[in-house]
């Protein structure tokens, strides 16, 4: 599936076709601008298409108004083109339309530099606004009506990957008593959060999914809590360093072995183990069969660990 043509690809092509068809039917002079608008507005969600389209419309209006004003003074002028850009950017910033600055500047320069002899700047500017509206309208309609994005499927896919990865690394970390790199979990959590945010942006399209989204939000929080406890175990079981001990609020020098700290570090280790087990249970993931003592403990320390139960975790969501 690596080289398969994606649905967004196909929908963009369909939107371009519809834009050109409408442009020909309406005898638009510059269908290029409508096509550009529909390509830019074809996003991975209906809401994102609408948002990008809205920013483009606002920028087009600002650019068209400024272009009209400066073209009436002196079109093709390098000096007034530069001054006009300053005005366009200032207006967009003043209105807090920061994402519209680029398109506003492009439309302004298009009016200043592309006017044909005798062509009305007003007529040209209005056509650019109409072209943009057509392109954005087509993009949003196609994205909504033609195979709308399957965010639930994407979420479930990312969720399965994360759950499998979490289970694997948690079992290895607890089974070995440390020494397992877990930073790759952050990338998996980030991917799930991206899909979640995209879906929630379109949540108004299907309000019946509210319960499911609340459950997933809680699940993401549990992943972060679990990762935090796993990271603390890594700091405890790695070679002692001043940075690690400061993060754990444990006062000891980097030259002392882990066994020199007695029951305090064992208590911390048991606490994080207990928290990880509880969070795995809340996620419905398989618990590890073997819980090893910290890797850096001496034999007497291991015996002390085995004779004590992990302390209770008091984490609350």
């Amino acid at each position: 599936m690596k080289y398969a043509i994606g649905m967004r690809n196909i929908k963009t092509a369909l939107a371009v076709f519809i834009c050109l068809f409408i442009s020909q039917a309406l005898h638009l002079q510059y269908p290029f601008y409508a096509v550009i608008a529909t390509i830019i507005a074809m996003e991975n969600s209906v809401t994102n298409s609408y948002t990008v389209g809205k920013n483009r419309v606002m920028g087009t209006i600002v650019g068209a108004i400024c272009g009209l004003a400066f073209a009436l003074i002196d079109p093709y002028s390098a000096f007034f083109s530069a001054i006009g850009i300053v005005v366009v950017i200032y207006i967009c910033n003043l209105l807090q339309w920061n994402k519209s600055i680029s398109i506003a500047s492009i439309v302004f320069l298009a009016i200043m530099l592309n006017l044909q002899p005798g062509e009305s700047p007003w007529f040209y500017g209005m056509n650019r606004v109409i072209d943009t509206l057509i392109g954005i309208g087509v993009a949003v309609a196609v994205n909504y009506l033609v195979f709308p994005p399957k965010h639930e499927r994407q979420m479930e896919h990312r969720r399965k990957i994360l759950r499998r990865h979490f289970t694997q690394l948690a079992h290895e970390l607890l089974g070995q008593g440390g020494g397992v790199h877990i930073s790759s979990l952050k990338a998996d959590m980030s991917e799930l959060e991206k899909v979640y945010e995209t879906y929630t942006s379109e949540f108004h399209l299907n309000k019946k999914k509210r319960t499911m989204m609340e459950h997933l939000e809680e699940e993401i929080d549990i992943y972060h809590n679990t990762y935090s406890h796993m990271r603390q175990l890594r700091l405890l079981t790695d070679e002692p360093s001043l940075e690690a001990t400061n993060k754990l609020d444990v006062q000891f020098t980097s030259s002392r072995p882990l066994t020199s700290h007695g029951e305090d570090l064992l208590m911390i280790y048991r606490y994080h183990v207990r928290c990880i087990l509880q969070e795995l249970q809340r996620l419905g993931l398989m618990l590890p069969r073997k819980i090893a003592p910290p890797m850096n403990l001496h034999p007497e320390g291991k015996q002390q660990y085995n004779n004590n139960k992990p302390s209770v975790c008091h984490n609350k969501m």
Side-chain angles (χ1 to χ4, degrees), residues 286-311:
M286 183 182 298
L287 299 180
R289 297 180 179 178
K290 175 186 176 184
I291 306 295
M295 294 180 63
N296 295 332
L297 284 183
H298 292 311
E300 59 272 20
K302 293 184 179 181
Q303 180 64 33
Q304 181 182 2
Y305 172 81
N306 292 330
N307 291 335
N308 290 274
K309 297 181 180 180
S311 55

Side-chain angles (χ1 to χ4, degrees), residues 43-60:
E43 287 287 325
N44 61 343
S45 72
V46 178
T47 300
N48 286 344
S49 289
Y50 171 78
T51 302
V52 170
K54 180 182 68 175
N55 293 331
R56 187 172 178 86
V57 169
M58 294 186 301
T60 300

Side-chain angles (χ1 to χ4, degrees), residues 74-211:
D74 186 7
Y76 316 111
S77 168
F79 174 76
F80 281 109
S81 293
I83 295 299
I85 287 295
V86 173
V87 174
V88 167
I89 296 175
Y90 177 78
I91 292 176
C92 288
N93 285 330
L94 188 65
L95 297 174
Q96 297 184 347
W97 294 353
N98 305 82
K99 295 184 178 180
S100 302
I101 290 176
S102 296
I103 186 59
S105 302
I106 292 172
V107 171
F108 168 78
L109 292 175
I111 295 175
M112 287 291 289
L113 306 177
N114 286 347
L115 284 177
Q116 300 299 320
E119 187 175 14
S120 168
W122 169 258
F123 180 76
Y124 187 89
M126 285 300 299
N127 280 338
R128 297 296 70 77
V129 175
I130 293 173
D131 293 339
T132 300
L133 290 174
I134 291 175
I136 292 168
V138 170
V140 173
V142 169
N143 211 5
Y144 180 71
L145 298 174
V146 181
F147 297 105
K150 301 293 185 181
H151 300 300
E152 292 181 40
R153 183 182 303 173
Q154 295 174 23
M155 276 197 305
E156 188 59 29
H157 174 67
R158 299 308 317 181
R159 183 169 172 266
K160 287 181 179 178
I161 292 176
L162 180 56
R163 290 173 67 84
R164 182 168 60 248
H165 202 183
F166 241 113
T167 302
Q168 175 189 346
L169 292 183
H171 283 218
E172 292 178 2
L173 181 68
L174 297 181
Q176 298 177 22
V180 177
H181 293 286
I182 62 172
S183 57
S184 57
L185 288 174
K186 295 184 68 176
D188 289 338
M189 290 190 292
S190 177
E191 289 297 324
L192 178 60
E193 288 175 331
K194 287 179 182 178
V195 180
Y196 170 80
E197 290 173 1
T198 300
Y199 186 79
T200 52
S201 70
E202 294 191 311
F203 194 58
H204 61 281
L205 298 178
N206 193 346
K207 295 183 179 180
K208 295 181 179 179
K209 302 297 181 179
R210 185 176 301 275
T211 301

